Structure formats: C-alpha cells, structure tokens
Amino acid sequence: MRRGVWIGIMILMLAVGGAGMALAADVRGVTDTEITIGQWGPQTGPAALWGAVARGTDLYFKMINEEGGINGRKIKYVLRDDGYNPAKTKAIAKEFVENIGVFAVVGGVGTGPGMAVRDYLTENKVPWVGPSTGSSHFTRPTNPYIFGVYPLYKDEAYLLTKYAYENKGKKIAFFYQNDDYGKEGLEGAEIALKELGGALVAKVSVEVPDTDLSSHALKLKESGADVVIMWLLPKHAAIILGESAKLGYKPQWISSNTLSDAPVMMNITKGLWAGVITSMFGDLPNEDTPLMKKYREAHQKMAASERWGSFYYAGIIWAEPLVESLKMAGKDVTTEKVLTSLETMNKWRGIGPPLTYTKDEHQGAKSVKISQVLENGDVKPLSDWLQITK
Amino acid sequence: MLSQLIVGGLAIGSCYALISLAMVIIYKTSEVLNFSQGEMAMLATFVSFYLLADKGLPFWLAAILTLAFALLLGVVVEIVFLRTAKNPNVLGLIVITLGLEMILYGVAGWRWGPDQQAMPFPIGNTEIYTVGSVTFSRISLWVFSLALGLMAALGLFFKYTRLGVAMKATQQNHLAARIMGIRTKRILSFTWALSSLVGTVAGMLIASSYPLDVNMMMDPMMKAFAGGVLGGMVSLPGAAVGALSIGVIENLFGGYVSLEFKSVVAFAIIVLVLCVRPSGLFARHYVKKV
Amino acid sequence: MDMKRDYYEDIQMLPSAWEGFWFVVLLAALALFPLLGGNYYCYLANLIAINAIVAIGLNLLVGYTGQVSLGHAGFFAIGAYTSAMLYGKYGLSILIALPAAGFTAALFGFLLGLPCLRLEGPYLTIATMGFGMTVTQTIGHWSFLGGRMGINTPKLQILSWQLSKDTEIYYLIIAVAVLMTIGARNLVRTRVGRALVAIRDSDIAASTTGVNLTYYKTLAFAVSAFYTGVAGALFAPVLGFISPENFNLITSIVFLGMVVVGGLGSIFGSIAGAALMTILQIQLSAVQDLWLIGPLISSISTRWFNVGGMANVSNIIIGSIMVAIVIFEPMGINGLYLRSKRFFKSWPF
C-alpha cells in the first residue's frame, strides 16, 4: 500500500516532466518575437542588498522593449532568487538552460554563485555578459563565452592603493573580508605598494558572519595607519567605522566599489561615511551625461519605488554591451554572431567603464573612477577613468 | 590593549546576555528552545525604526510603543503557535520556533527590504571618554548600564513580586502551581511576553551601534544561545555570566590569537565545558529517574 | 489487514507478495524516469534523492534514537569534500570515494557522539551546532580544500563509463539511494533498531534491560553520519562545485525540517519530507512567477510592502508549512498518509 503512494508520486512527476520538455528551437532562447535572457541575484538572505542589480537590469530591458525592442524582438527577462547559495544558483542555471531555454545570461551577483555555474554555462555555450563580480576567475584565462564588464578587484585595488600612496599617506593598512573577494583586493594592493617601494602596515581580515568588530578596530588603530583600504561587505564597513569612532581613531577610509552606494552607506554609518574615498564601476549616479539622464527618467517613470543607487544601475551597466551586441548581430541572431560582435567593441561606452574586447581578452573593463563622498551624501569625482597600464 | 579588549567584550557581551536571559526565561518555564528569539527582537526593532524614522515620534514614545508591541508579539506567538500544538515533543517545539523564525524573518524582509538602515538613536556613537589608555564610548556605557539594570530588575522581579514568584512556581512544578491556584496558562503567555520584551531591549541596543537589517540578530542570537548553555540554560545569573564571558573571551581570542577563528571559539569552549559539566557551569546536573 | 500474527511478520522485509510486486514496479518506474523526465527533472530527482538519503540518516538519529542534531551540514560537508578530494584530486574511482566519504563522516560522527553521550536538549543542540559551524569554518580556512572559494569537481567516471549528464548520474544516485533505503529499513527492524527506539523512549529503562547506551548512542551518530557523508559524496558531482557556503547552519536546519515535516521515525516520511522541502525551495526562487498568487503578491508588495523584499515571501511560506505540520500533524507527512489510509480502509464507517 505504502508503495502505491510512491508510484502515484512518480507518475505525477513523470507527467510534469513530460509536459515541461521544451521544444527544440533553432537558437535556444530566440523566437521570432522574443529573446530570452536570464539572471540570478540574491533577493533574500545576507547579500540581498546586491539584489538591486538584477532588478536594475529589469528596468533596462523594460525600457528597451518600450522603445520597440531589438531588431523587432522583445526581451523576455527571467529573474531568479538564489539567496547567494551556490547550490540554488546551480539549480537556476540548469533551469535556464534545460527548462526555460535562455539565449544569454547577464550579470549574476557573487563570486561563489558564479563559480558554481561557470563551467556548466560554458559547456552549454551560453554567452554570459558582465558577471557581477571583480574576481579574476571568470576572464582569466579567457573564456570564449564570458565577457567581463566589472573591473577586476586586483586592478581596482592596485589603482586605489597607488592613488592613496601618492595623495593621502604612506602608512596604509588593508582591512578585508577573508575570502577571494578580499584576498584579490589585498593582492592588488600589495603589488602596487611593492612597485612604489612601500609595504602595508597591517593586514586585518574579517569573517563574513562576524558582527562584533571591536578587536578588529583595535588592531587597525594599533597599527597607526593613516589610510585604511576596505574590501568588505557594507555591514562590516559600517560597523568598523562605528567601532573606530568609538576608539577615537579616524584614518582616511578608502573602499572598493562594492561600497559605492553612498546614500546607503551615509545612512547606515550615521554620517561617518562622509569623506570616504571609493572607486566607481560606472558614472556617478547624479552625473549629467545624456544616457544617465535617460535612464534616470525611465527609472522615474517605470520603477519609482526602487532607489536609484549604484547597485541598481549596475544592472544596466552589465546589460548594455549585451544589448549593443544583439543590435549589431542583426535580424538573424546566433550565439556566434553575438560573440563576434562583442569582440569588435573598442573603447565602447554606455554608462560603465570603457570596454575593449578582443578574441583573447574578454576582461573589457580595466579602469575605475575614483570619487569622494561629501557631507550631504553626494559624491564628487576625484578622477576621470583611470586605466591600469597593462 | 588588554583592558580595551575587555571593555569591548563587555559591551557586546551585555547585549548577548540580554538575549540569553530572554531565551532562559522561556526555556525554564516551558522547556522550549526559542530559536525565534532573535527574529522576534529584530521585528520589534524594525517597528521602533518605523515609528522613529517614518512617523517621526520622539524617542521615549517610540520606545514605549515598541516595548508594548514586543509584549503583544510574545503573547500572540505563545497563543497562536505554541498553545495550539497538540502534545508536541521537544523536537517539534524546536521546529516550530525555527519555522517561526523563518516567518518573522520573511515578514520583516518583505516589509523593509534588504537595504540596511540606521536606527535613529538619541546618543551618537562618536562621543568618547578616555581613561588612561582605555577609550569608552558613551553608547557602550549606556548599553552596559542599561543591560545591567535590566538584569538586576529581572532578579528583583523574580524574587519579590507575586507575579515573579508565581512564574517561578510554574517553572518548578506546573501541576502543583495549578493546584495552588496559579493560572499557569496565563503565566506561560506572560513568560513569552516578558522574554520578548527583554529580547527587544537587546535588539534596540544592538541596532544603536550596528546597522539595522533583517540579518542583524543572527550572529548575536547564536552567541547568546552559546552563553546561555555555558551558564546552564536554567539559571538567570548563569546565563548572564556565560554570555558576558563569551563576549570577553571572543574579543581576547580575536585580539591575541586569531581573528579568523574568533566566531567559532565560543562553540569550541562550549563543547569542552559540556564534556566536563554536561548541564553547563551554573546548573546542577540532575540524574533523571524513570 | 494490518494485523501482525507472529513475530516474524513484524521483522519481515517485505510483508507480502503484493508489496514485493509494488517494489518491483517502483524500481522499474525509477529506471524509466530519465527517458521521460529529461535532464532538468533528473537533476531535481538527484537533489531529492540526495536529500532523502540525508533525511533517512538524520531520522535514524533524531526519529529513532531521539537525539537532536543541528550539525548535519558538517557531515554533509565532510562527505562532499572527502569524495571531491579522492576522485577529483587523486583520481580514485567514485566507487572507492563513495564509501570512503561515508566512513570518514562516520568516524567524525563517532567522535562527536562521544561528548554527546551525556548531553540532551539544548546542550546537545548547541554541541552539534558548534560542530557544524566549526567544520565549515575550518574548510573555509584550509587552502588545501579550496578555502572559502570552494573547488570545482570534475566529471564522474566509473571504469570507462562517463557520467557527464544528469540523466547518467541519476542512475548512480538512485541505485545508492535505493540501497541505503533498504539498508535503513533493514537496520530499524533488527535488534539494533529496537535498541535505538528503546533509547528514544527512555534511555534509563533501555539500559536496565541490557541496552548498552554508550555503544548504541555512538553507533546511531556514526550510522547517521555515514548516510549523510555518502549523500554529500554524491552531492559534489551533481553540483560540480562545492564551497563552504553550501554547508551552513541553514542547511542543517533544512535537513531537520525535512525529517520533522516528513515524519519522525518513518523512512517513507523522510523521503516525502525531503522531496517536499527540495521542491519548495526550488519552486519558490521566483515568487513573482507563481501560478495565481504571483501577481497578487506583486501588487501587495508595491502597495504595502517592499518590492525589493518580495522574495522573502518564500521564507514565510516554507516557515508556515513547517509550523503548520508540527502543530496540526505532529507525525508529519507520514502521519497524514497513515490517517488517510485508515480513512479509506474503514470507509464508509
């Protein structure tokens, strides 16, 4: 009797499975009227702050569709929540390829989740534009299907450290999250200082689940650094600024672009964030370039309840080159055409960094902007796009 | 450096201690291990954030309303989720509180989203006093003294008020308490309300120096639970001392040994202590009779 | 119909020829599933089967022996990393790596079982939880195991047979899952199983009737860890990538949820609970696309709640299901099944 139920379940699953099998199309995810593009992003859980990226992409695609789509096709956008859990990301990637059938993947927050699906997506020949991470695991060595739009953490740390050493002070400490994200930043900083003939006065790491950072702050203070470079989660950055203030320690704080959402940071640090120098992976949110204005208007019109923060429009930055290459590929879209049109881009710009792709170099972005947070929460540029010379 | 580390440890440890007390109050009375303690406090803290930031109420009024909400939340949780369960076992109760934790987390996450917020608090975290080589911030002093005050008040409450004594009686023997005319069901509701209140105070104190988001209570709750177990889970002073020492030990370990393993050292200590004293430091290990 | 007439009926593997027949039909259905289901549904079936193995193992500890564990993600991680290292780094066959992973986890289970002998209730919970967190933390700092970043696991190969697609791995996983299920069923109907149940009901009474508590409690930990370790070893190739983030406290909580939702002390319940929780977790990754209630949730979000936090509805749904099952049906899905069976059997009375 008990097994009768099992069999019932199995039959049900078989029925569902049979119905779910997609019809084979010529190009996966492309019909006469639609192109399907997918993205995962943490909408829940500890990294949900960066979930805005995937929703920003949604705004951009809605805008493109409203303008008439790409060569007569509308974009069908599939957004899935992976909660920053690589097992779920893998399930989503499988669903994208085998169940929904996506033409390409765009963005996708996180190094861990991205690594879980990188090889799988490549095996299935899914173009993936703009992994939302600066880790070098995606474009080093060159992967034929992955195109980086995010400046590498290593390059970014190199540029920031050099800037700090030349302009802010020689005693530099590095405070980082103890994983690849933090360690790649640390590596870049160490390379820069070695070239300049200096060394870090302290390296302090923090674990992702930690909340109480009073002993970390004390270590930074004891090192006597004038400049502290942070490679952290927003939560940890806010806490360390608070704890340092409690100790009366006020160095020049410098941070990676993962903390470039100045209004949020100003808010959660209760104003301590003012004066912090951050790098940016795109134009500043209040900049008056024509494209930026257009996006801001679209945001007001279609998604006013969302906040116009740097992570939200990051979703636009990652998707811009993909849309551009789809336009270039013409009416008969194929994966190869999109890849080759991406590879012709030379110093192409949307609102992100200038992008140059060649057949052997898929890390398109090699520059960051440096900016400083003002007392009122706005940011002022300290530099134009700084390129790493290599 | 040593004294500074101890000061930092006591400040965070006193927040752990309050949550730990909240858990012990419930565990003593009903043997429920309340995993939703942190999220109950988190939800209430978000309510106070809503009153302060969105409604613009003065702090004292918002605090009173929040505490009232916390009491109500405790009662509702007890009546809706625990009283309705038909003769659940220990494990069932754990799963109910874990499920409840997910529900509360979901509700707060849905309503307030993933963005981190700053709790408007009347004391800024940049005001500091320096004594010798040790720096105190005004907010840590407040946190510490508020927590100590609340602990003392709880101790007096259980010792000298009729309600407190009735709660103690219910803890010791349900049936006998009922025979003596104590309305044990009402006492249980009240236990949850009181525990929710204590937890909420901890939540608000934590939000005063850390960013407010839906995940903020996870780590503190684990540490508080560890502290409670260290102290014995059935003894209020034990829980307070256990949680405070977890805060200090962690900080010393982070300062002198390794920052990387700072957050697991608490659990290593727990396992070692439990090997020697299976019911924690302050509780008597009783041998069950058949 | 369900009346047992003598002792041997009680301990029989398959009580009747009829059940034997259904068992064969089930095996056939499982074998044919990949032909109909395709790759994606096989992948889901793989995840369900892996979780079912964990749930069965955890149920042996929690449901049969009455010991709580919130640290099974640790055993799961040990199994996954052992097999990933053995067949990934050292090129051993998965047929060796699989039992090796199980026995490594069992060893840790035995070691954890020793201090846990004297513990119960919250003390046991925190000790197991601490174990789970220590394992993931240690892996995260051990660069030999890939550290926080995790490691990619290569494709499976059994002799010359390449298991590259999910439909192919499926057969390996289902074969192991069926074997493990039979093993668990076998275990609980023998002397060992009865000893475990006796410990659950009253450990002192059990020890006075001659059950060696030290032996059986640590055995329960070791066996449970063995199951979880084997499941972890299968999990590594299915995901193709493992990192400490896969094995956090939430994973342990979900495992425990599977067991309780499915039904304590029931193997069928473990499987049903694992299936339900796995499917729910995957289905709820897109709340806004849910059938019927999706648009409703969207509009509620924009009006009263927060669009950015909409995905949290999945937590509310899963949490409510867990709570509702414990409150209204303490025996879990298995209890529901038993009740409905009784209802139909005695119908129309």
Side-chain angles (χ1 to χ4, degrees):
Chain A
M1 267 318 279
R2 176 173 292 185
R3 301 220 150 62
V5 173
W6 287 19
I7 289 167
I9 294 172
M10 292 316 294
I11 290 172
L12 206 71
M13 283 173 67
L14 291 180
V16 174
M21 275 162 74
L23 292 170
D26 291 327
V27 180
R28 180 185 45 225
V30 180
T31 66
D32 287 343
T33 52
E34 275 183 344
I35 301 176
T36 311
I37 294 172
Q39 177 164 206
W40 61 87
Q43 306 298 311
T44 54
L49 185 69
W50 293 323
V53 173
R55 302 197 300 276
T57 314
D58 187 35
L59 168 73
Y60 180 58
F61 287 158
K62 271 189 191 147
M63 199 188 88
I64 299 279
N65 285 344
E66 202 143 281
E67 288 170 359
I70 302 167
N71 299 325
R73 290 193 184 91
K74 298 266 159 114
I75 296 174
K76 187 179 162 206
Y77 179 56
V78 196
L79 165 59
R80 289 286 181 271
D81 172 29
D82 69 347
Y84 212 78
N85 176 346
K88 279 194 194 164
T89 320
K90 186 74 188 259
I92 291 165
K94 294 238 179 204
E95 193 193 351
F96 278 175
V97 174
E98 290 163 20
N99 204 29
I100 298 174
V102 297
F103 174 74
V105 173
V106 70
V109 167
T111 313
M115 286 298 285
V117 300
R118 181 191 67 180
D119 295 351
Y120 174 77
L121 290 177
T122 307
E123 264 166 40
N124 287 285
K125 304 188 167 61
V126 183
W128 180 7
V129 179
S132 194
T133 158
S135 162
S136 58
H137 294 289
F138 296 90
T139 50
R140 301 267 184 276
T142 302
N143 180 314
Y145 295 95
I146 302 179
F147 291 81
V149 186
Y150 199 122
L152 295 181
Y153 294 135
K154 212 169 124 183
D155 296 354
E156 186 192 352
Y158 177 91
L159 291 167
L160 273 175
T161 311
K162 209 168 154 192
Y163 178 86
Y165 192 82
E166 283 161 2
N167 300 298
K168 293 294 171 191
K170 311 284 182 218
K171 287 173 85 176
I172 300 177
F174 203 86
F175 183 43
Y176 63 102
Q177 184 174 320
N178 197 5
D179 60 7
D180 268 33
Y181 157 56
K183 282 179 184 159
E184 287 193 18
L186 177 65
E187 200 185 332
E190 282 180 328
I191 295 173
L193 282 177
K194 205 172 172 193
E195 279 177 20
L196 296 162
L200 290 172
V201 294
K203 295 181 261 186
V204 181
S205 70
V206 60
E207 301 298 315
V208 178
D210 284 357
T211 308
D212 168 31
L213 303 186
S214 43
S215 42
H216 303 71
L218 197 59
K219 281 209 165 170
L220 288 173
K221 187 185 179 187
E222 302 267 306
S223 79
D226 311 319
V227 178
V228 178
I229 303 182
M230 298 179 280
W231 236 253
L232 300 173
L233 289 172
K235 167 184 95 172
H236 286 146
I239 298 172
I240 195 71
L241 258 70
E243 292 291 342
S244 302
K246 281 186 194 169
L247 295 171
Y249 175 52
K250 284 182 181 133
Q252 170 66 53
W253 299 96
I254 293 184
S255 149
S256 74
N257 55 29
T258 44
L259 309 181
S260 57
D261 202 339
V264 166
M265 294 310 297
M266 277 302 266
N267 180 17
I268 63 175
T269 56
K270 298 183 182 172
L272 292 173
W273 198 249
V276 171
I277 293 176
T278 66
S279 62
M280 304 287 284
F281 46 62
D283 286 339
L284 308 187
N286 49 2
E287 218 159 319
D288 278 333
T289 61
L291 261 181
M292 208 62 179
K293 272 188 189 160
K294 187 175 139 195
Y295 293 150
R296 279 204 298 265
E297 275 161 22
H299 164 249
Q300 279 307 318
K301 207 174 85 194
M302 285 186 277
S305 59
E306 291 272 3
R307 203 175 46 78
W308 184 250
S310 62
F311 298 124
Y312 187 70
Y313 69 77
I316 301 179
I317 299 179
W318 311 153
E320 275 176 331
L322 177 64
V323 167
E324 180 65 20
S325 67
L326 281 168
K327 280 182 186 158
M328 282 197 270
K331 187 72 191 153
D332 302 316
V333 177
T334 63
T335 305
E336 286 68 35
K337 275 191 188 168
V338 167
L339 297 180
T340 38
S341 18
L342 274 165
E343 279 164 1
T344 59
M345 284 186 178
N346 189 8
K347 299 235 158 77
W348 186 85
R349 275 213 65 201
I351 57 170
L355 298 172
T356 307
Y357 296 111
T358 65
K359 191 118 192 72
D360 307 314
E361 177 58 292
H362 279 189
Q363 176 55 43
K366 288 188 179 160
S367 32
V368 293
K369 262 186 183 180
I370 293 179
S371 67
Q372 188 166 28
V373 182
L374 301 174
E375 290 289 341
N376 62 3
D378 280 345
V379 278
K380 75 163 188 225
L382 292 180
S383 77
D384 201 3
W385 290 103
L386 292 178
Q387 185 157 357
I388 190 158
T389 48
K390 66 172 178 192
Chain B
M1 182 147 162
L2 176 68
S3 38
Q4 187 71 59
L5 283 172
I6 292 175
V7 166
L10 286 176
I12 187 75
S14 50
C15 293
Y16 295 165
L18 284 181
I19 309 172
S20 173
L21 285 179
M23 293 183 82
V24 168
I25 291 172
I26 288 182
Y27 183 75
K28 259 181 94 161
T29 324
S30 50
E31 301 235 313
V32 178
L33 201 51
N34 186 11
F35 278 98
S36 62
Q37 195 80 56
E39 311 310 345
M40 285 167 71
M42 182 268 289
L43 188 69
T45 311
F46 262 108
V47 168
S48 78
F49 168 75
Y50 168 75
L51 294 173
L52 285 166
D54 292 7
K55 295 282 163 202
L57 296 185
F59 187 79
W60 60 271
L61 184 58
I64 291 173
L65 288 177
T66 307
L67 296 182
F69 173 81
L71 289 172
L72 192 69
L73 180 68
V75 173
V76 168
V77 163
E78 202 275 327
I79 291 177
V80 175
F81 291 95
L82 290 141
R83 207 176 276 183
T84 45
K86 353 178 214 185
N87 52 31
N89 49 10
V90 179
L91 195 71
L93 289 170
I94 290 181
V95 173
I96 288 182
T97 61
L98 285 174
L100 182 62
E101 190 219 325
M102 292 180 79
I103 296 175
L104 294 173
Y105 181 92
V107 169
W110 194 12
R111 176 63 184 80
W112 283 282
D115 277 1
Q116 276 144 345
Q117 312 281 359
M119 175 99 153
F121 209 71
I123 310 159
N125 56 355
T126 45
E127 299 163 56
I128 49 171
Y129 311 107
T130 314
V131 181
S133 64
V134 184
T135 320
F136 299 90
S137 73
R138 203 167 142 212
I139 204 155
S140 314
L141 284 179
W142 268 99
V143 168
F144 189 63
S145 40
L146 258 178
L148 274 189
L150 193 58
M151 284 178 226
L154 274 177
L156 293 177
F157 171 80
F158 279 114
K159 191 139 196 183
Y160 292 112
T161 61
R162 275 175 71 90
L163 192 56
V165 175
M167 282 172 76
K168 261 191 0 198
T170 315
Q171 283 157 13
Q172 281 166 4
N173 191 331
H174 259 257
L175 194 63
R178 261 179 79 178
I179 292 168
M180 302 313 280
I182 296 170
R183 292 169 189 268
T184 48
K185 278 194 176 169
R186 219 176 268 179
I187 292 287
L188 273 184
S189 299
F190 185 76
T191 310
W192 276 78
L194 181 67
S195 149
S196 167
L197 180 91
V198 175
T200 302
V201 173
M204 289 176 71
L205 291 179
I206 288 175
S208 72
S209 31
Y210 299 106
L212 174 65
D213 70 6
V214 284
N215 304 300
M216 74 168 183
M217 294 301 283
M218 291 205 168
D219 186 52
M221 205 203 79
M222 289 297 134
K223 300 288 166 56
F225 182 26
V229 169
L230 188 63
M233 217 53 209
V234 286
S235 137
L236 288 173
V241 172
L244 279 170
S245 33
I246 291 270
V248 173
I249 292 170
E250 249 187 10
N251 248 15
L252 289 178
F253 186 83
Y256 288 110
V257 188
S258 150
L259 279 175
E260 299 185 341
F261 285 92
K262 182 181 165 192
S263 44
V264 285
V265 69
F267 295 99
I269 292 170
I270 292 288
V271 174
L272 288 180
V273 169
L274 289 182
C275 283
V276 188
R277 291 190 63 97
S279 294
L281 289 175
F282 289 81
R284 213 158 17 117
H285 188 61
Y286 69 99
V287 178
K288 215 174 11 180
K289 297 192 185 78
V290 183
Chain C
M1 243 186 288
D2 262 359
M3 194 165 44
K4 305 260 164 64
R5 286 176 194 79
D6 64 29
Y7 173 64
Y8 288 99
E9 252 179 69
D10 199 34
I11 59 171
Q12 259 170 351
M13 195 75 185
L14 291 167
S16 68
W18 196 230
E19 293 216 356
F21 167 74
W22 280 119
F23 184 61
V24 173
V25 172
L26 173 76
L27 286 185
L30 285 175
L32 290 175
F33 179 68
L35 301 178
L36 287 158
N39 227 359
Y40 179 65
Y41 287 92
C42 275
Y43 170 71
L44 289 187
N46 287 344
L47 284 187
I48 291 174
I50 288 169
N51 283 334
I53 297 176
V54 177
I56 291 172
L58 187 56
N59 216 336
L60 287 176
L61 185 68
V62 179
Y64 285 95
T65 323
Q67 310 284 306
V68 188
S69 167
L70 270 179
H72 263 53
F75 298 124
F76 199 51
I78 290 172
Y81 273 92
T82 311
S83 90
M85 281 296 137
L86 287 182
Y87 87 81
K89 214 161 192 164
Y90 299 112
L92 291 175
S93 163
I94 184 76
L95 296 178
I96 300 170
L98 207 57
F103 283 115
T104 315
L107 176 68
F108 278 94
F110 169 72
L111 292 177
L112 178 66
L114 287 180
C116 288
L117 277 174
R118 295 207 289 166
L119 307 180
E120 55 185 4
Y123 310 102
L124 183 61
T125 315
I126 195 109
T128 52
M129 197 162 86
F131 166 77
M133 291 170 80
T134 313
V135 168
T136 41
Q137 195 69 251
T138 311
I139 293 172
H141 290 288
W142 198 354
S143 55
F144 174 68
L145 295 178
R148 282 233 169 276
M149 267 324 293
I151 42 171
N152 279 299
T153 54
K155 291 261 170 330
L156 281 183
Q157 193 173 9
I158 297 179
L159 303 176
S160 62
W161 183 33
Q162 275 279 349
L163 302 175
S164 54
K165 286 216 216 101
D166 290 302
T167 41
E168 292 157 358
I169 304 179
Y170 170 87
Y171 285 106
L172 173 69
I173 291 178
I174 288 296
V176 175
V178 169
L179 280 178
M180 302 288 269
T181 312
I182 295 173
R185 198 172 147 77
N186 206 11
L187 186 76
V188 296
R189 73 191 174 91
T190 53
R191 184 186 160 75
V192 178
R194 290 193 302 277
L196 298 184
V197 172
I199 293 175
R200 174 190 67 191
D201 292 342
S202 164
D203 50 356
I204 294 174
S207 81
T208 51
T209 52
V211 175
N212 184 341
L213 285 187
T214 316
Y215 175 75
Y216 282 107
K217 271 192 184 176
T218 43
L219 181 76
F221 263 99
V223 170
S224 177
F226 179 82
Y227 269 75
T228 315
V230 169
L234 293 169
F235 182 69
V238 165
L239 204 59
F241 169 83
I242 46 173
S243 75
E245 276 161 75
N246 292 344
F247 310 104
N248 53 20
L249 182 62
I250 309 284
T251 317
S252 295
I253 292 177
V254 171
F255 286 156
L256 192 64
M258 283 174 192
V259 171
V260 176
V261 165
L264 287 170
S266 150
I267 289 173
F268 162 74
S270 312
I271 298 172
L276 179 73
M277 294 292 271
T278 316
I279 293 173
L280 270 182
Q281 279 194 313
I282 299 221
Q283 280 300 312
L284 292 175
S285 67
V287 181
Q288 70 278 13
D289 295 343
L290 281 182
W291 176 69
L292 274 183
I293 58 169
L296 181 71
I297 291 174
S298 295
S299 73
I300 293 177
S301 301
T302 31
R303 201 166 307 161
W304 292 294
F305 283 79
N306 186 312
V307 191
M310 189 163 64
N312 278 297
V313 175
S314 64
N315 284 324
I316 302 180
I317 297 176
I318 294 182
S320 309
I321 290 177
M322 275 165 65
V323 171
I325 283 189
V326 177
I327 290 181
F328 298 112
E329 187 51 74
M331 302 265 290
I333 300 175
N334 185 45
L336 279 180
Y337 165 68
L338 290 179
R339 271 212 297 204
S340 52
K341 190 168 92 171
R342 209 172 307 136
F343 174 79
F344 283 112
K345 227 172 232 176
S346 55
W347 194 80
F349 299 106

